Amino acid sequence: MVSKTMPDKPLGTQAAKSERTRQSILESANEIAQNEGVGNLTLARVAANAGISKGGLLHHFGSKQELIIGLLTETLDQADSDLNRLADANDRTSGAFAQAYLDFVRTSQHTNGTATGVFAAAALEDGDLTPARAMFDRWQHRLVAEDNIDQDIAMLARVVGDGLWLIDLFDLAPPSEAQRQRLFEFIEAQL
Amino acid sequence: MVSKTMPDKPLGTQAAKSERTRQSILESANEIAQNEGVGNLTLARVAANAGISKGGLLHHFGSKQELIIGLLTETLDQADSDLNRLADANDRTSGAFAQAYLDFVRTSQHTNGTATGVFAAAALEDGDLTPARAMFDRWQHRLVAEDNIDQDIAMLARVVGDGLWLIDLFDLAPPSEAQRQRLFEFIEAQL
DNA sequence: GGGATAAAACCGTCCAGCTGGTAGGTTTTT
DNA sequence: AAAAACCTACCAGCTGGACGGTTTTATCCC
C-alpha cells in the first residue's frame, strides 16, 4: 500500500510520480509472489495489481527479469537499512550488529512477506542471486570481523538468525513464542 | 542415478519397471529444477530428460502439480530415512536425533542438490507445502520431546541445522570449513 | 503350453490459452 | 516542442494437457 498522503518534499514532480509508480509496481509484484506463488507472477497480473497497463509496466522495467532483479535488490536494500537502523538503535560497543541481526528476525517475524516471494523468485526463475550473495557477504563480514565479538559467537548468531528466518518464511513448524524467546536469550547472553 | 545392478527381488516385472521409470522421471525433474530453475521445469523437458514422451510422463503423473508433489514427498522421505539412519548410527542414549540432524546438514552439504529445486518448487509454484510442514513438525517434536535432551538445546540444534541448510542451499556467504567445524563442535558439546 | 483378453505402459499429435514482449499510438509533464 | 509516462492492440511461441493410438506385460482358460 503506497502512502496516499499529501506531497511533502519535491513531490508532485514527474520524477517523483514515476518513482511512486515504480514502487507500487514492486509492491504489487511482491504481493503476488507472496500470496500466489512465483509461478503466478506474470507481467499482466503485476500491472493490473499496480493499477497500470502492461505497457506502462514495461516502461519502468524493460523485461520480466529486470523486474525480478529490481524486486530482489529492493528487498535487500530494505533489509540492509533495517539492519543498520537496528544496529544504531542499541548502544552496544560490541555485538551491535549481531544483536541487530537477531532483532531483525524477531521483528520481521510476521512482516516477513517482504522477502517471501522475492527471494525465491530471484533464486529460481531466471534471476541472478549475485546481489543477494554480495549482501550476505557484507553482513557476514561485518558480523565476524567488525562487530568486536568472538568470531564463533558471531557465526552462531548469524546461522540462528538465518535458520529462524527460513522457518518463519515457509512456516515450517515454527517454535513457540516461549521457545523462540529462550533461544534469543541464550544467544544474546553470549554476545 | 538409479541402481543399474542386476535384479534381486521381484525385478523385471512390469510393476518394477514402472517404478524405475517413475524414479527416473523424478530424478530428471529434480535435475532440471536444480540446474535450470523451477521456471524451466516443464513437462516436455522432464520427459525428454527422462527419455520418455510427454504422454508417458503424464501416465505416471496425471498433472504437473502431481509431479511436483511427488518430487516434494520423495525428497522428504529421503531426508527422513537419512535422518533415521544417522540417528541409529550413533549410539547416544540422549541427543541421538539432534546429533543426526546436525550430521545430516554436515553430510548433505555438497549433495544438497537433492532438495534445491524441489523445495522451492513446492513452495512457490502451485504445490502445497503441507507435507513438508508435517515432516518438519515430526522432526521438531522428536527433537524437543523425544530426544531426551534439554528442550532449548534441541531447539538450538534444529535452528542451526536449518540455518546452515538454507545457507548451503543458496550458497549465501557460507562459513569456512573451520568456522563450520567450530560451530558444530560448540553445539554438539551441549548435547 | 499357448492362444485369447485385458490391463498397464507408453507414444505422437493436436490445440486452446496464456505469456513475454513489440510497435505505435496518446496524454502529461517539463 | 520534446521527452517522459503511460496505453491499446497484437502476435509468435511455448505450455499443460486431452486424445486416440500402439506396444508391452500380466492373467486366464483350455
Side-chain angles (χ1 to χ4, degrees):
Chain A
M1 260 141 242
V2 136
S3 157
K4 293 214 166 67
T5 51
M6 281 280 89
D8 45 39
K9 268 222 202 104
L11 218 50
T13 70
Q14 184 183 28
K17 183 181 177 197
S18 174
E19 176 58 27
R20 257 177 290 137
T21 304
R22 210 190 120 96
Q23 282 300 326
S24 87
I25 291 173
L26 252 21
E27 281 168 29
S28 298
N30 188 58
E31 215 170 289
I32 290 172
Q34 181 187 342
N35 298 332
E36 314 182 37
V38 186
N40 296 318
L41 188 74
T42 68
L43 296 183
R45 300 188 71 151
V46 172
N49 198 306
I52 60 171
S53 70
K54 203 168 65 169
L57 191 165
L58 284 166
H59 172 73
H60 289 272
F61 299 92
S63 70
K64 189 179 184 182
Q65 187 161 4
E66 262 188 43
L67 173 63
I68 290 179
I69 290 176
L71 207 46
L72 177 62
T73 55
E74 168 79 9
T75 307
L76 289 170
D77 289 347
Q78 181 71 42
D80 192 48
S81 105
D82 284 353
L83 279 173
N84 286 325
R85 193 171 35 74
L86 287 167
D88 289 344
N90 70 56
D91 46 4
R92 286 171 163 280
T93 57
S94 68
F97 197 69
Q99 177 75 59
Y101 206 78
L102 293 172
D103 285 343
F104 179 80
V105 174
R106 208 199 312 253
T107 56
S108 66
Q109 181 182 354
H110 292 123
T111 325
N112 219 333
T114 326
T116 310
V118 187
F119 197 88
L124 309 167
E125 196 80 10
D126 294 309
D128 183 358
L129 266 190
T130 309
R133 297 204 174 97
M135 189 61 88
F136 272 85
D137 251 333
R138 285 178 45 197
W139 292 337
Q140 162 79 5
H141 185 263
R142 196 160 161 189
L143 277 170
V144 167
E146 297 175 6
D147 209 32
N148 201 26
I149 55 173
D150 182 81
Q151 196 193 123
D152 295 346
I153 302 303
M155 200 68 237
L156 180 68
R158 191 211 148 181
V159 173
V160 165
D162 290 352
L164 276 175
W165 188 72
L166 170 72
I167 290 170
D168 289 341
L169 208 54
F170 295 113
D171 197 29
L172 294 173
S176 71
E177 270 314 313
Q179 282 172 328
R180 185 187 296 265
Q181 179 63 24
R182 287 200 303 276
L183 188 56
F184 279 122
E185 279 169 8
F186 175 83
I187 295 166
E188 285 164 357
Q190 318 211 29
L191 293 183
Chain B
M1 261 141 245
V2 138
S3 157
K4 291 214 167 69
T5 52
M6 279 281 86
D8 45 40
K9 272 223 200 107
L11 218 50
T13 69
Q14 184 183 29
K17 183 182 175 196
S18 173
E19 175 58 26
R20 258 177 288 138
T21 304
R22 210 189 121 97
Q23 281 300 324
S24 87
I25 292 173
L26 252 22
E27 282 169 27
S28 298
N30 189 60
E31 214 169 289
I32 291 172
Q34 180 187 341
N35 298 332
E36 314 182 36
V38 187
N40 295 318
L41 188 73
T42 70
L43 296 184
R45 301 189 71 152
V46 172
N49 198 307
I52 61 170
S53 70
K54 204 167 66 170
L57 192 161
L58 283 166
H59 171 72
H60 289 273
F61 300 92
S63 70
K64 189 178 184 182
Q65 187 162 0
E66 265 189 40
L67 174 64
I68 290 178
I69 290 175
L71 208 46
L72 177 63
T73 54
E74 168 80 8
T75 306
L76 289 170
D77 289 346
Q78 179 71 41
D80 192 48
S81 105
D82 284 353
L83 279 173
N84 286 326
R85 191 170 39 73
L86 287 167
D88 288 344
N90 70 56
D91 45 3
R92 287 172 161 280
T93 57
S94 69
F97 197 70
Q99 177 75 61
Y101 206 78
L102 294 172
D103 284 343
F104 179 80
V105 175
R106 209 199 312 253
T107 58
S108 67
Q109 181 182 355
H110 293 122
T111 328
N112 219 333
T114 325
T116 310
V118 186
F119 195 86
L124 310 166
E125 196 79 10
D126 294 308
D128 183 357
L129 267 190
T130 310
R133 297 202 174 100
M135 189 61 88
F136 271 85
D137 251 331
R138 285 178 46 198
W139 292 338
Q140 161 80 5
H141 184 263
R142 196 159 161 192
L143 277 169
V144 167
E146 297 173 7
D147 209 31
N148 200 27
I149 55 173
D150 182 82
Q151 195 193 126
D152 294 347
I153 302 303
M155 199 67 236
L156 181 67
R158 191 211 149 182
V159 173
V160 166
D162 290 353
L164 276 176
W165 187 73
L166 169 71
I167 290 169
D168 288 340
L169 209 55
F170 295 113
D171 197 30
L172 293 174
S176 71
E177 271 313 313
Q179 281 171 329
R180 185 186 297 263
Q181 179 62 25
R182 288 201 301 276
L183 188 56
F184 279 122
E185 279 168 10
F186 175 82
I187 295 166
E188 284 164 358
Q190 317 211 30
L191 294 185

